[in-house]
Amino acid sequence: MAYSTSTDVQAYFPNITFGTTTPVTLSQITDYHIVMADNLIDASLRQRYSVPIANTTDISLLKSISMRLAAQSIADVMHKSLSGENPDAPDDASIGKWGRGARLDLAAIADGRFGLLTSRSAIADGGVFDDYDAVTTPEVKLTLPLGVIQTR
C-alpha cells in the first residue's frame, strides 16, 4: 500500500503537467518514485513498528513524508534533464528542503522522538541483553590491516 499517490506528489509541481514526453512520466511517479519513498519509510520504521503502517492517522503523517521524498526524487531527475531550461521547475533550495525535512521527520519517528499511534513491534529494542555475565562464545578480534582473525 502506498502512503501517497501521484496526485499528491504532483501538487509540488503546480506548473508542470506530467505526461509521456516529460523527463518523469506519471507511471514513473507511481511505479518508481513513490515506491522508493515508501520503501525508505518502511525500512526506517521496521525496527520500531510493524510495517507497512495501517493506522489512518499515522498514514496521514507518512503521506507527507512520502510526498516530499518522492517530489525531491522527481525534481532531481527533472532538474538534471532540463538543465535550467524550464522556469517552472522548482529551484535547488526548494528541492533540498523537501527531502531534508522529510528525512528529519522520518528520523524523529524512527528513533522514538516522535511516536506513531501504531503499536510498536516486539523487536523495537533489539540488542539489549538482560544477562551480561554469561558469555558462551570466545571473543573474536579482527586485525584489519592483515585481515587476521584472532580468538582469546
Side-chain angles (χ1 to χ4, degrees), residues 46-57:
R46 181 167 282 117
Q47 196 65 19
R48 190 170 290 272
Y49 299 98
S50 295
V51 293
I53 304 297
N55 179 287
T56 54
T57 303

Side-chain angles (χ1 to χ4, degrees), residues 42-134:
D42 286 346
S44 298
L45 301 181
R46 181 167 282 117
Q47 196 65 19
R48 190 170 290 272
Y49 299 98
S50 295
V51 293
I53 304 297
N55 179 287
T56 54
T57 303
D58 293 340
I59 288 175
S60 65
L61 172 64
L62 298 179
K63 176 181 179 177
S64 169
I65 294 171
S66 175
M67 289 167 48
R68 289 180 284 160
L69 289 172
Q72 181 196 11
S73 176
I74 293 163
D76 286 343
V77 170
M78 292 187 66
H79 185 72
K80 288 174 185 163
S81 46
L82 294 175
S83 301
E85 295 172 18
N86 188 343
D88 296 328
D91 59 26
D92 289 339
S94 296
I95 295 169
K97 286 179 187 176
W98 297 339
R100 197 168 31 260
R103 283 181 175 77
L104 288 172
D105 291 348
L106 188 55
I109 297 168
D111 68 15
R113 288 179 284 141
F114 184 85
L116 298 179
L117 296 175
T118 300
S119 46
R120 293 178 62 165
S121 67
I123 59 169
D125 294 316
V128 179
F129 302 102
D130 291 333
D131 188 359
Y132 294 100
D133 297 328

